[in-house]
Amino acid sequence: NYSLYIGKCVELPICFLPAWLVRWRTLNPMLRATYGTVCASFMALQRGVAINLSGGYHHACGSQGGGFCIYPDITIAINLLRKFCGIKKVMIIDLDAHQGNGHERDFLKDADIYIIDCFRPNIYPGDMDARKAIDKELHVYPQDDDSSYLGKIS
């Protein structure tokens, strides 16, 4: 069931909704955000800097979604940059409170991807296999204030 799988990925009970509504209100906005990640990555090459205020679906990998993430936008953007721009080495800096297990799984054995992940270690997803892809692991905790957090990431 289409809606059942999407509901599992976004962790909401939407399995009773018709597929057209799930696509319109859930998948299409996430697909546009994924396109924004791809556009921002190409624009950053052209202009030196770019930002996408959405996207960053770091729990989705090439084979499945999870943790409110359907499309693996980070993986898609990197693969397109490699294919069309000849990019070889990439650094992923993930500053979300959760481990970015999706792109970590996708690039687990890729020596040309350097991953810095700053997350709280004892919350979702706790993916120990994906953690093997992290080159620099930084842990944050509820008691961290702005200055301790900035000290960790600088």
Side-chain angles (χ1 to χ4, degrees):
N1 181 323
Y2 179 79
S3 296
L4 184 62
Y5 175 74
I6 302 304
K8 180 182 170 200
C9 291
V10 298
E11 300 177 13
L12 293 170
I14 60 172
C15 59
F16 60 90
L17 297 174
W20 68 266
L21 184 60
V22 171
R23 174 162 279 293
W24 176 44
R25 298 310 252 166
T26 305
L27 296 181
N28 287 348
M30 288 183 171
L31 190 57
R32 283 191 291 276
T34 298
Y35 179 67
T37 299
V38 170
C39 288
S41 65
F42 279 83
M43 194 176 297
L45 282 180
Q46 294 172 343
R47 299 182 183 177
V49 67
I51 190 168
N52 176 22
L53 295 178
S54 190
Y57 298 130
H58 66 169
H59 297 305
C61 66
S63 62
Q64 67 184 22
F68 299 98
C69 304
I70 301 294
Y71 303 110
D73 64 328
I74 299 163
T75 298
I76 291 169
I78 290 170
N79 288 338
L80 290 172
L81 287 171
R82 285 175 155 178
K83 182 175 182 177
F84 295 109
C85 301
I87 298 297
K88 302 238 184 300
K89 294 186 177 275
V90 175
M91 179 184 292
I92 299 171
I93 302 172
D94 191 338
L95 300 176
D96 186 89
H98 302 96
Q99 173 197 357
N101 61 315
H103 58 76
E104 291 165 5
R105 284 190 168 274
D106 287 336
F107 299 116
L108 192 58
K109 298 192 185 304
D110 191 331
D112 289 329
I113 302 287
Y114 188 89
I115 299 174
I116 300 172
D117 199 346
C118 182
F119 63 97
R120 189 164 165 206
N122 297 320
I123 60 173
Y124 178 88
D127 189 335
M128 297 310 286
D129 287 333
R131 278 174 82 168
K132 295 173 189 168
I134 301 171
D135 296 288
K136 177 89 171 149
E137 194 170 302
L138 305 169
H139 294 166
V140 292
Y141 300 96
Q143 61 270 22
D144 285 329
D145 59 12
D146 290 350
S147 92
S148 68
Y149 176 78
L150 291 173
K152 289 177 183 186
I153 65 171
S154 59

